[in-house]
Amino acid sequence: MKQTIITILLALVAVAGQGQVKCHVEGTLETDAWGDEIIICEAGTDLRVVDEPRFHVKAKNGHFAYDIETDFPRLYVVFFLKQQETGNWFQGKFLAENCNVNVTMYEDKPVRIVSNGEEGRKHAVKDSIEDVRFWNPVDEIDSQMEDPDRRAEFYKADFISTIAKARTMNVDSLPRAYVDSVRQVVDRYMRNEREQYTTLGLQLKQRRDSITAGLVPFRFAYDAEHPMLWTLYDVLDAIQALKHADNYVNFDKSQFEPYLTLYHDKLINYYPGHPIHDQIATAETAYRLQPGKPYIDYTVRNIDGQLVPISTLTKGKVALIDLWASWCGPCRSHSIAMIPVYEKYKDKGFTVVAIARERNRQAMENAAKKDGYPWQSLLELNDENGVWRKNGAGNAGGAMYLIDRDGTILSTSTDAEELEPLIKAAIERE
């Protein structure tokens, strides 16, 4: 009886708390280089897909104010709209709780956040220790290496010219083959430090790496010793990092995997009822989507606009789930490469279930027509069904999952040359 009463009281507290969080944000712009339009939205929002007028805040005479009302304390981000559009941007984060938040925004350095909320103060202590141990010495190295007058001391001339070319090229007006060739060269440089840096630059880079190598272990140790709501968001970030580990060079999974143990051992009942727990559960399921494991089922809109389980579209077939977007160049290149494979096997039990992540239908239809996809594409409009989140694709343009007739994942590759022999073998197993 006592336990039942406690459970009811906790549920009542959770219900009573909904809609009661009120956070007031005051901001100052220390620069006008990026205009006066600020974005404030919940962390994880992708403006390419979900954009609402309430996210846009106009500063006046270098100042802005913004009020947030939400059901639970949630993680929010703040940044310059124009800066974000360049791909080179600083994003400030804060927990919207019952508090006041002061934001200071600069031209070329991180956003400064000061919160008088309980969770904000807890996180500020952690940040201050990080600054002293890690970011201050790292910033000192970065200031040397990014000094325009000294770049030639640290970076090789070919690397400097290639990066400059990549940053200034207009991808919409240039041939796709040329754009892809430049991207391939940049990718080769990014994967080979000795092609990027001079001897002096490599020494500084290695010194920087030795400092930052201790950052994740420090954060984990601190989170384990001082759990707070923000720690749950750290768990979510760790799972998402593990999901995309293959995209990084020399990624050390052992630094992030302990967060899963920490969550299940110590944090799963921390802040009960908060939606972050559902997000973590979804991310963890997506992390397990690997070859040999069963693919998940979720709801999508079919071509008639009806909500249906994805399993009804793949049942009995070898299927490629192609998550793509009109605004994602690499995704479209991968999809185009699959066209001849599809034509070869479509009458033998193979199908492509394409889903486009868009803000409007016309963008999808225009891209599909231009690229000549012989299959129909479903539409994930404004992230309404959380398809990307459920697949662990985050805010990436897309991903691919090749699944067998029984729903087992055969591959997560996006390379048509790698996928074709797997498709052929799966069909022949009938």
Side-chain angles (χ1 to χ4, degrees), residues 145-146 151-152 154-167 182 185-198 205:
M145 298 185 71
E146 298 307 317
R151 284 182 63 81
F154 309 118
Y155 298 98
K156 292 184 176 180
D158 287 347
F159 174 72
I160 293 174
S161 62
T162 300
I163 293 299
K165 183 189 300 182
R167 285 176 175 172
V182 173
V185 173
V186 171
D187 185 62
R188 189 187 75 239
Y189 275 125
M190 300 310 292
R191 293 178 179 274
N192 190 333
E193 291 183 346
R194 295 190 179 278
E195 289 194 29
Q196 291 184 53
Y197 300 102
T198 64
K205 171 65 165 51

Side-chain angles (χ1 to χ4, degrees), residues 206-226:
Q206 290 171 342
R207 189 189 309 167
R208 186 188 194 280
D209 288 347
S210 68
I211 296 170
T212 57
L215 180 59
V216 173
F218 162 78
R219 285 177 172 171
F220 175 78
Y222 194 94
D223 285 341
E225 187 67 25
H226 307 87

Side-chain angles (χ1 to χ4, degrees), residues 38-307:
I38 313 302
I39 298 294
I40 301 179
C41 59
E42 191 171 352
T45 303
D46 190 335
L47 296 185
R48 296 170 298 185
V49 183
V50 180
D51 194 4
E52 300 180 20
R54 63 189 175 93
F55 299 161
H56 296 253
V57 183
K58 281 280 192 177
K60 185 176 181 180
N61 298 323
H63 297 278
F64 65 89
Y66 190 76
D67 289 305
I68 299 170
E69 290 192 28
T70 182
D71 50 357
F72 291 91
R74 294 174 181 264
L75 190 64
Y76 273 69
V77 293
V78 54
F79 52 87
F80 283 110
L81 176 62
K82 284 188 177 179
Q83 195 176 60
Q84 181 261 349
E85 290 172 347
T86 69
N88 182 24
W89 51 307
F90 294 102
Q91 185 183 77
K93 294 183 179 182
F94 63 91
L95 269 171
E97 50 184 318
N98 284 311
C99 68
N100 294 320
V101 174
N102 288 305
V103 177
T104 308
M105 306 182 71
Y106 305 92
E107 179 178 356
D108 56 1
K109 64 180 183 179
V111 178
R112 182 172 180 266
I113 304 283
V114 178
S115 169
N116 66 1
E118 180 181 357
E119 292 289 336
R121 289 195 298 266
K122 290 179 184 177
H123 196 261
V125 174
K126 179 182 175 183
D127 280 347
S128 64
I129 299 173
E130 276 191 16
D131 286 344
V132 173
R133 293 189 185 180
F134 303 100
W135 296 122
N136 291 347
V138 163
D139 288 345
E140 185 177 343
I141 293 173
D142 286 347
S143 64
Q144 292 183 60
M145 298 185 71
E146 298 307 317
D147 183 343
D149 296 328
R150 300 188 61 189
R151 284 182 63 81
E153 295 181 42
F154 309 118
Y155 298 98
K156 292 184 176 180
D158 287 347
F159 174 72
I160 293 174
S161 62
T162 300
I163 293 299
K165 183 189 300 182
R167 285 176 175 172
T168 57
M169 67 180 181
N170 187 334
V171 296
D172 294 326
S173 63
L174 293 170
R176 178 170 293 167
Y178 175 79
V179 173
D180 288 344
S181 68
V182 173
R183 285 173 172 160
Q184 288 172 2
V185 173
V186 171
D187 185 62
R188 189 187 75 239
Y189 275 125
M190 300 310 292
R191 293 178 179 274
N192 190 333
E193 291 183 346
R194 295 190 179 278
E195 289 194 29
Q196 291 184 53
Y197 300 102
T198 64
T199 300
L200 179 58
L202 189 59
Q203 290 174 351
L204 279 177
K205 171 65 165 51
Q206 290 171 342
R207 189 189 309 167
R208 186 188 194 280
D209 288 347
S210 68
I211 296 170
T212 57
L215 180 59
V216 173
F218 162 78
R219 285 177 172 171
F220 175 78
Y222 194 94
D223 285 341
E225 187 67 25
H226 307 87
M228 52 184 137
L229 179 54
W230 205 303
T231 307
L232 297 176
Y233 285 97
D234 289 341
V235 171
L236 181 62
D237 286 344
I239 298 172
Q240 291 172 338
L242 288 167
K243 176 66 177 178
H244 299 285
D246 293 341
N247 297 333
Y248 302 98
V249 180
N250 300 323
F251 185 90
D252 185 3
K253 286 188 176 183
S254 66
Q255 292 192 347
F256 293 87
E257 287 170 335
Y259 273 97
L260 292 173
T261 303
L262 173 64
Y263 177 71
H264 288 288
D265 288 351
K266 197 172 182 178
L267 301 174
I268 196 166
N269 294 316
Y270 186 78
Y271 218 109
H274 196 287
I276 187 64
H277 291 288
D278 288 338
Q279 295 177 47
I280 290 172
T282 299
E284 193 169 3
T285 299
Y287 171 50
R288 307 299 181 191
L289 293 178
Q290 301 295 334
K293 301 293 185 180
Y295 190 62
I296 55 175
D297 204 4
Y298 50 89
T299 301
V300 294
R301 288 198 182 275
N302 63 16
I303 57 176
D304 296 322
Q306 299 172 325
L307 288 172

